[in-house]
Amino acid sequence: MSDARRTRLLDGPILKTLAVLAVPNIAASFLQSGMSVVEGAYLGWLGTVELAGVALVFPLLMLTNMLSGGAIGGVVAGATARALGADDDARAQEILRAAVLIALALATVMALAILGFGRALYGLLGGEGVVLEAADLYGDRLAAGIFTLWQFNVLASLLRGSGDTIRPAIALGCVLVLHAVIAWVLIFPAGLGIAGAGLAMPLAYLFGTLGLSAWLLSGRAAVLVKPGPVTGRVLVPLLRQGTLAATQSALTISMALIVTAIIGRLGTHWLAGYGIGARLELLMIPVIFGVGGALIAMVGVNVGAGRRQRAIRVAWTGGAMAACIVGSIGLIGSVAPDLWGGLFTRDPETLAAVATYLGIVGPFYAFFGLGLCLYFASQGLGSMVWPVVGTLLRLLIVVAGGTALVATDAATPQAVFAVVAAAMAFYGMFIVAALRLGPWRS
């Protein structure tokens, strides 16, 4: 890490430095989410069945990005930042080698799980008939190349942890353009339909991974690529923290699966509408990650340099920033849902379902943004337990509420979405209180 970059992270104005780091991250996150928007628009031209089929696979795509970019990627970024903050270049180089191995192993496990059990999962979520067949076609193709998503996100996270947010943003921009072209060709001229959509995303990420690898191998990155062993002193902490971070992601995706399972039994239009509405929540996660990625770098470097109190001030500032950004987008979606839903479909029943979801849940996105951003900051501060507990409690609220609604035959879409909104509000408030009164107290 250059002296100028290290000085900026340690002594620069907090809000300004966060903004400088976060803007490329946020831009990159929008680009990454743009792939789902483009894909959804293409599939919307094919029909409601394709949209509903992808909605069943959507939680698995969310899980992939959350594990590779947010959980394992966040842990890798935080470890890299702390190593560079302590001027331990050899440790940073070993973290890079360990990260590549971990990403390859976990991508293999996830691909085998989707290929082996994906169809059964889609059926449990309410998929049947042509919708189930569409989900199976898409999911199997996505799984076959899922290692490219893992490697890209882990390498991008390592660069962000070194304070470089520009290169990952440029790489994602290239991936977005390539995905739009590849998806169009495979879906329409090649006639592969939804199967082509499943292939397009891994292919686009393959080119992005090659680009990031070339930059790291050039010797100009803050972390140099050097041959060497991967020892327990690096691998064990990464796996331990990664397991805790992955628990957060698994709990989050479990909640999405439960809601999808309930909504899937209320009809194809409600399932497609919820899938479109949930894509806006997917958009929120990368936005939060944009700020969170900046937090991980800035917080981690300060912790590595022994400046914990400044790291905590950085964390609260970033949390407030994320809450404002995400809350604003949620409010816009709640009052003008067709701005979002209209990107995917013109079917009036599906648009009405999107409007119902965003009208109830959208106003509570600020709590979601605040809680999740503080989780990212916790990866730099080593205090991930309370954010994970908050996610568990959020899941329990959804499970308890959803079970009660189903048991009393009161599981209307409006009631289910109200439970989701209440859990989201509790999640944000609990994490703030737990961190402020616990590990982050002055």
Side-chain angles (χ1 to χ4, degrees), residues 106-409:
L106 293 181
T108 301
V109 171
M110 178 169 281
L112 292 175
I114 295 174
L115 291 171
F117 305 102
R119 186 180 181 88
L121 175 62
Y122 312 143
L124 289 174
L125 295 178
E128 56 184 23
V130 292
V131 172
L132 179 58
E133 293 301 326
D136 202 29
L137 276 174
Y138 178 85
D140 283 357
R141 273 66 179 177
L142 180 67
I146 206 167
F147 75 95
T148 64
L149 279 72
W150 270 89
Q151 290 294 344
F152 180 90
N153 283 331
V154 166
L155 293 180
S157 296
L158 183 132
L159 287 174
R160 294 187 187 103
S162 72
D164 182 359
T165 58
I166 299 295
R167 270 81 185 184
I170 294 173
L172 271 171
C174 296
V175 170
L176 173 66
V177 173
L178 285 169
H179 174 258
V181 174
I182 294 171
W184 172 267
V185 171
L186 293 180
I187 292 172
F188 298 109
L192 296 180
I194 194 170
L199 291 169
M201 196 171 291
L203 284 173
Y205 272 111
L206 173 61
F207 289 102
T209 300
L210 293 175
L212 291 182
S213 299
W215 172 250
L216 286 165
L217 290 168
S218 71
R220 292 177 290 172
V223 180
L224 299 178
V225 178
K226 290 190 175 180
V230 176
T231 63
R233 76 179 188 114
V234 167
L235 189 60
V236 172
L238 285 178
L239 291 175
R240 183 175 59 246
Q241 296 170 31
T243 299
L244 187 59
T247 300
Q248 154 92 14
S249 299
L251 291 171
T252 301
I253 208 66
S254 295
M255 190 199 68
L257 289 171
I258 290 169
V259 176
T260 301
I262 297 173
I263 295 298
R265 286 161 172 77
L266 298 177
T268 300
H269 290 290
W270 280 110
L271 178 59
Y274 168 69
I276 292 171
R279 282 180 183 266
L280 184 58
E281 190 170 332
L282 178 68
L283 181 66
M284 297 303 97
I285 292 175
V287 170
I288 299 164
F289 179 71
V291 179
L295 278 177
I296 291 173
M298 197 169 177
V299 167
V301 167
N302 277 274
V303 170
R307 303 180 65 175
R308 185 175 177 84
Q309 288 305 311
R310 174 176 165 85
I312 292 173
R313 291 197 301 273
V314 171
W316 288 124
T317 303
M321 180 188 298
C324 290
I325 296 172
V326 172
S328 298
I329 295 174
L331 288 174
I332 293 172
S334 67
V335 299
D338 285 357
L339 290 178
W340 180 251
L343 295 173
F344 303 94
T345 183
R346 291 292 183 268
D347 180 73
E349 292 185 72
T350 303
L351 286 173
V354 175
T356 301
Y357 175 81
L358 292 180
I360 295 173
V361 180
F364 294 89
Y365 276 2
F367 295 98
F368 174 62
L370 175 61
L372 189 55
C373 194
L374 293 179
Y375 155 75
F376 283 119
S378 293
Q379 290 181 320
L381 278 156
S383 53
M384 289 191 292
V385 172
W386 287 114
V388 173
V389 171
T391 305
L392 174 60
L393 294 175
R394 180 188 175 197
L395 173 63
L396 292 177
I397 291 172
V398 171
V399 170
T403 301
L405 291 174
V406 172
T408 59
D409 292 326

Side-chain angles (χ1 to χ4, degrees), residues 18-30:
L18 270 179
V20 169
L21 290 173
V23 167
N25 275 348
I26 293 173
S29 300
F30 271 113

